């Protein structure tokens, strides 16, 4: 099956930290419009924009107060219409973040729902009685939330608990309720009618919940996401959404499937014959290193074999059956270069990582700033954190830990690394804004910025551009976008090598994940060198000498 999104090159924008057009220190919608030419130049023709809906910003917009309006700090609905118009003239498709699992507690539905147990909208959310344990009122179950603490919050107006698997200000919607489903269908319809091309669907795997029985994982509050992830009714709801909404518009839909969705469940969501979603963002490839076990980033090591296994498993399982997005990390995760890159071989490893990922079968989604190799932020004080989950995490830590230790722990997994302002140029505030930004700016903008990248032909940015061009090249698109994927040397702990093959072409993508030198024998006759990350390539008698993080893309004779 062929769909319009398969040949597109995607890019994810987190509006708050993308570009500030009106100099109030916060990125905004006009800022995106102003940078569309930039994105087009890079080779992007599909954008996913994170939420900019009206919101009290407890979770930077994932807590929606009004689905039909734009948050003032991001601009106006007219600004968005302008953005859409300009995007259309540049043939850039736009998809929005569709937040189905919850609303803000300031959404009118919730204000009504919490007001009394007889309210019409009471059943829009999930309300339960607490449990009395030793005369103390406890949440209905011991389920923990993704953002620390309980997945339930007590509400004194009716002396009951509401479910909230994220922050206290993000009550979960009750998808069992048909009216809720219809409301959300209307929301989707409204944006599709306005002209958007589809949605990234937030937290989609959580719409169905297990019966409210304690998790046996612990006696205490425990994050047991199986209680609200990838359960059967999600699929019923998605089929309904697909039938009544997505299919009517040929909309692109990419579900965020957290809760450790397996490949099998990934296929349930997005196989061509399931009529649910177009693709899913899974997280299996995001944790293929020892981040959880180390205290110092200098000990970080990529587990190349597990990364290769994950890629192989997803790529092969989806052959003929479905389609995948190709993304490294996103706004909830560390920066790619700090996670899987090698700062000592900065350009080489950045380019290699791009080649390794974006020439697989699927649709690329570059996370903003990745194209210039942006890195994690160096946190020096608690007040620098903005992300609600980082703040909750900090407060949940043992009070006896030193300030320095708490900072280190929170910084390790903080989502704020990915949310620093884009480093546009080597000028004050990195060219993100003309005033002191309300988002963090990484001090390395003097060395890492867009302007310098564009003017240097050998930059990471130009390498990204070349990859995106290759995927658009009329001669190679068929093989690089639709061709078969086959991984070679499955057991090699340093080299990630795969073939792409179509009826008449064969491409070999060779990547070294090591800072040591390796040799690799190409078993085909080389026809063309399509891409490299060193100035030359060292090949003799078909043996390639691979330098640190070298990556080479060859067209070979079949
Ligand atoms: C998704 C988003 C994340 C948000 C959460 C709740 O995981 O990517 O940023 O906090 O959903 O909406
Ligand atoms: Ca602004």
């Amino acid at each position: 099956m062929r769909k319009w999104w398969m040949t597109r090159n995607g890019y994810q924008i987190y509006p708050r930290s993308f570009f500030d057009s009106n100099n109030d220190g916060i990125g905004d919608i006009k800022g995106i419009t102003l940078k569309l030419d930039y994105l087009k130049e890079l080779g992007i023709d599909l954008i996913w924009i994170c939420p900019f809906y009206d919101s009290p910003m407890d979770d930077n917009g994932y807590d929606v107060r009004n689905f039909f309006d734009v948050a003032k700090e991001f601009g106006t609905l007219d600004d968005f219409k302008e953005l859409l118009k300009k995007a259309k003239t540049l043939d850039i498709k736009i998809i929005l973040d569709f937040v189905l699992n919850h609303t803000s507690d300031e959404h009118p539905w919730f204000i009504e729902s919490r007001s009394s147990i007889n309210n019409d909208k009471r059943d829009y959310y999930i309300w339960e009685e607490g449990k009395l344990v030793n005369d103390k009122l406890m949440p209905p179950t011991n389920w923990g939330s993704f953002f620390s603490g309980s997945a339930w919050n007590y509400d004194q107006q009716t002396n009951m608990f509401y479910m909230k698997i994220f922050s206290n200000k993000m009550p979960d919607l009750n998808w069992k309720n048909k009216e809720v489903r219809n409301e959300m269908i209307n929301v989707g319809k409204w944006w599709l009618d306005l002209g958007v091309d589809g949605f990234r669907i937030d937290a989609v795997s959580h719409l169905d919940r297990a019966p409210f029985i304690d998790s046996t994982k612990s006696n205490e509050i425990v994050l047991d996401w199986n209680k609200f992830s990838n359960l059967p009714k999600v699929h019923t709801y998605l089929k309904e959404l697909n039938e009544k909404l997505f299919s009517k518009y040929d909309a692109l839909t990419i579900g965020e499937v957290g809760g450790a969705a397996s490949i099998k469940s990934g296929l349930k969501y997005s196989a061509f014959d399931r009529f649910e979603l177009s693709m899913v963002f899974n997280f299996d490839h995001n944790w293929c290193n020892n981040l959880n076990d180390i205290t110092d980033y200098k000990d970080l090591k990529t587990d190349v074999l597990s990364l290769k296994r994950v890629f192989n498993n997803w790529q092969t399982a989806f052959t003929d059956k479905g389609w995948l997005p190709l993304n490294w990390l996103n706004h909830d995760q560390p920066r790619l270069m700090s996670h899987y890159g090698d700062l000592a071989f900065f350009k080489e490893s950045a380019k290699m990582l791009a080649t390794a990922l974006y020439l697989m079968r699927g649709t690329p989604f570059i996370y903003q700033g990745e194209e210039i190799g942006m890195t994690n932020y160096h946190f020096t004080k608690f007040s620098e954190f903005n992300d609600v989950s980082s703040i909750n995490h900090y407060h949940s830590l043992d009070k006896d830990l030193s300030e320095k230790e708490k900072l280190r722990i929170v910084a390790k997994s903080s989502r704020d690394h990915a949310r620093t302002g884009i480093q546009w140029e080597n000028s004050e505030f990195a060219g993100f804004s003309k005033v002191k930004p309300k988002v963090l700016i990484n001090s390395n903008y003097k060395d890492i910025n867009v302007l310098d990248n564009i003017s240097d032909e050998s930059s990471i940015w130009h390498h990204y551009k070349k990859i995106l061009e290759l995927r658009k090249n009329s001669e190679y698109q068929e093989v690089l976008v639709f061709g078969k994927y086959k991984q070679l040397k499955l057991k090699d702990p340093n080299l990630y090598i795969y073939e792409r093959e179509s009826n008449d072409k064969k491409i070999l993508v060779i990547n070294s994940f090591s800072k040591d030198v390796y040799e690799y024998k190409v078993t085909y006759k080389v026809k063309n060198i399509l891409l490299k990350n060193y100035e030359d390539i060292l090949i003799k008698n078909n043996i390639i000498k691979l330098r640190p993080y070298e990556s080479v893309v060859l067209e070979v004779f079949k």
Side-chain angles (χ1 to χ4, degrees):
M1 184 154 62
R2 299 227 165 162
K3 288 297 207 172
W4 63 262
W5 49 81
M6 294 178 174
T7 51
R8 298 249 157 191
N9 290 325
Y11 189 93
Q12 181 194 347
I13 292 181
Y14 196 70
R16 174 172 301 274
S17 43
F18 191 61
F19 182 60
D20 177 19
S21 75
N22 62 343
N23 296 310
D24 63 355
I26 303 174
D28 44 57
I29 292 181
K30 272 196 177 142
I32 303 174
T33 312
L34 287 170
K35 294 294 182 186
L36 281 183
D37 291 313
Y38 161 76
L39 293 172
K40 188 74 192 175
E41 179 61 25
L42 175 61
I44 299 301
D45 53 7
L46 168 63
I47 305 175
W48 150 28
I49 310 177
C50 287
F52 49 73
Y53 313 104
D54 173 50
S55 159
M57 300 291 165
D58 187 55
D59 187 19
N60 281 351
Y62 280 95
D63 47 322
V64 182
R65 182 165 49 200
N66 180 353
F67 287 103
F68 305 106
D69 204 359
V70 170
K72 285 204 180 60
E73 63 201 82
F74 293 143
T76 63
L77 196 58
D78 282 335
D79 292 344
F80 181 70
K81 289 184 187 158
E82 264 312 297
L83 168 62
L84 265 183
K85 209 162 105 197
K86 171 123 197 241
K88 289 240 179 327
T89 65
L90 292 172
D91 185 32
I92 295 178
K93 303 266 187 191
I94 293 192
I95 65 171
L96 301 186
D97 227 302
F98 196 8
V99 190
L100 297 177
N101 180 71
H102 45 266
T103 66
S104 162
D105 65 341
E106 297 180 30
H107 193 289
W109 299 338
F110 190 71
I111 294 174
E112 278 199 51
S113 180
R114 81 190 324 178
S115 67
S116 104
I117 57 167
N118 300 318
N119 185 278
D120 277 358
K121 300 226 165 17
R122 182 65 171 180
D123 199 35
Y124 269 39
Y125 296 84
I126 302 168
W127 292 98
E128 286 290 316
E129 304 273 357
K131 282 189 307 206
L132 269 184
V133 180
N134 300 333
D135 281 344
K136 212 177 142 209
L137 189 61
M138 299 294 283
T141 66
N142 66 346
W143 303 357
S145 116
F146 285 112
F147 289 179
S148 309
S150 170
W152 300 93
N153 197 36
Y154 176 71
D155 193 53
Q156 58 180 17
Q157 289 185 65
T158 55
N159 191 28
M160 281 174 82
F161 287 78
Y162 62 87
M163 187 173 217
K164 52 97 202 170
I165 61 172
F166 295 99
S167 87
N168 286 347
K169 284 183 67 64
M170 299 157 85
D172 283 21
L173 284 164
N174 176 15
W175 273 74
K176 283 193 184 141
N177 183 331
K178 196 167 181 356
E179 283 170 56
V180 167
R181 301 202 298 276
N182 286 339
E183 298 264 21
M184 294 317 286
I185 288 171
N186 283 339
V187 171
K189 201 170 163 327
W190 193 85
W191 287 99
L192 289 165
D193 284 338
L194 200 74
V196 308
D197 301 289
F199 303 108
R200 177 266 191 179
I201 306 182
D202 185 64
V204 73
S205 46
H206 310 309
L207 304 182
D208 185 18
R209 289 96 185 165
F212 299 142
I213 299 167
D214 276 351
S215 164
T216 50
K217 272 181 138 185
S218 163
N219 293 330
E220 323 248 298
I221 300 243
V222 59
L223 174 54
D224 178 358
W225 51 66
N226 293 314
K227 297 291 187 193
F228 38 78
S229 302
N230 306 306
L231 294 168
K233 281 222 198 61
V234 177
H235 298 286
T236 321
Y237 304 144
L238 286 176
K239 284 196 193 310
E240 182 178 345
L241 283 170
N242 185 302
E243 187 195 317
K244 296 185 178 157
L245 184 65
F246 309 146
S247 63
K248 298 238 187 316
Y249 295 80
D250 197 20
L252 162 59
T253 53
I254 317 177
E256 180 205 23
V257 291
S262 62
I263 292 183
K264 206 167 138 216
S265 95
L267 279 166
K268 268 194 177 171
Y269 285 108
S270 62
F272 296 138
D273 60 2
R274 295 277 306 174
F275 303 103
E276 295 185 20
L277 299 170
S278 326
M279 336 175 198
V280 290
F281 280 121
N282 83 86
F283 296 92
D284 283 0
H285 62 288
N286 291 167
W287 314 115
C288 296
N289 59 21
N290 56 349
L291 186 67
N292 284 333
D293 312 323
I294 57 164
T295 47
D296 194 326
Y297 255 89
K298 75 173 182 346
D299 300 321
L300 191 67
K301 199 170 167 3
T302 304
D303 181 348
V304 182
L305 280 174
S306 92
L307 195 58
K308 284 170 59 168
R309 209 176 310 120
V310 168
F311 284 150
N312 198 40
N313 291 347
W314 282 85
Q315 285 279 315
T316 47
F318 276 68
T319 313
D320 303 326
K321 293 209 177 87
W323 197 252
L324 289 167
L326 303 171
N327 71 305
W328 272 121
L329 300 158
N330 64 22
H331 64 291
D332 296 328
Q333 274 140 5
R335 280 280 174 185
L336 174 60
M337 282 308 289
S338 304
H339 202 59
Y340 288 143
D342 185 336
L343 301 181
F345 292 92
F346 188 65
K347 271 193 188 179
E348 292 83 358
S349 62
K351 291 178 185 178
M352 182 280 290
L353 289 170
T355 307
L357 181 74
Y358 297 121
L359 292 179
M360 289 194 272
R361 180 173 170 277
T363 302
F365 278 89
I366 295 164
Y367 181 62
Q368 63 177 32
E370 186 193 309
E371 74 274 25
I372 55 167
M374 277 177 65
T375 60
N376 278 358
Y377 184 82
H378 181 65
F379 289 93
T380 54
K381 46 181 186 294
F382 172 64
S383 60
E384 286 178 322
F385 293 108
N386 162 269
D387 162 31
V388 57
S389 72
S390 303
I391 292 168
N392 288 356
H393 186 190
Y394 178 92
H395 291 305
S396 76
L397 292 173
D398 191 337
K399 302 274 172 295
D400 295 336
L401 290 174
S402 70
E403 194 55 28
K404 202 171 151 208
E405 187 60 5
K406 284 200 246 179
L407 203 64
R408 187 191 63 74
I409 296 172
V410 178
K412 208 165 93 167
S413 60
S414 175
R415 306 192 300 176
D416 282 320
H417 290 296
R419 303 175 180 187
T420 60
I422 293 297
Q423 298 160 205
W424 292 103
E425 49 186 67
N426 176 8
S427 63
E428 204 181 12
F429 310 129
F432 167 78
S433 173
K434 292 204 172 61
V435 301
K436 189 172 174 351
K438 299 223 169 74
V439 297
L440 297 168
I441 299 289
N442 196 315
S443 58
N444 64 13
Y445 69 87
K446 295 194 173 78
D447 299 316
I448 302 175
N449 64 67
V450 169
L451 204 61
D452 289 349
N453 261 261
I454 294 180
S455 57
D456 170 10
E457 284 287 329
S458 74
S459 68
I460 299 168
W461 190 87
H462 279 279
H463 191 81
Y464 269 79
K465 185 173 158 79
K466 281 181 199 153
I467 294 177
L468 300 180
E469 265 164 16
L470 268 178
R471 296 183 59 97
K472 289 281 171 185
N473 180 305
S474 56
E475 205 179 324
Y476 295 105
Q477 184 164 75
E478 184 62 30
V479 61
L480 289 178
V481 174
F482 299 105
K484 280 202 202 73
Y485 163 97
K486 185 177 162 206
Q487 198 178 122
L488 310 181
K489 294 196 75 96
L490 289 165
K491 301 229 156 63
D492 189 305
N494 298 299
L495 305 183
Y496 174 43
I497 304 176
Y498 60 90
E499 291 175 5
R500 302 295 312 279
E501 185 167 2
S502 62
N503 283 339
D504 62 339
K505 279 199 165 36
K506 193 178 216 141
I507 309 290
L508 200 56
V509 184
I510 304 168
N511 305 285
S512 170
F513 272 77
S514 169
K515 57 175 180 302
D516 299 321
V517 173
Y518 285 94
E519 289 193 339
Y520 174 69
K521 185 163 171 46
V522 179
T523 53
Y524 307 98
K525 214 172 142 225
V526 176
K527 193 171 174 188
N528 253 319
I529 302 170
L530 295 187
L531 191 70
K532 52 190 174 10
N533 65 344
Y534 278 75
E535 272 187 18
D536 53 357
I537 80 169
L538 305 178
I539 185 165
K540 212 173 176 180
N541 300 330
N542 260 32
I543 297 182
I544 305 194
K545 194 169 170 188
L546 295 164
R547 288 155 287 188
Y549 304 100
E550 182 153 0
S551 101
V552 183
V553 181
L554 301 174
E555 178 178 6
V556 295
F557 285 97
K558 280 180 62 125

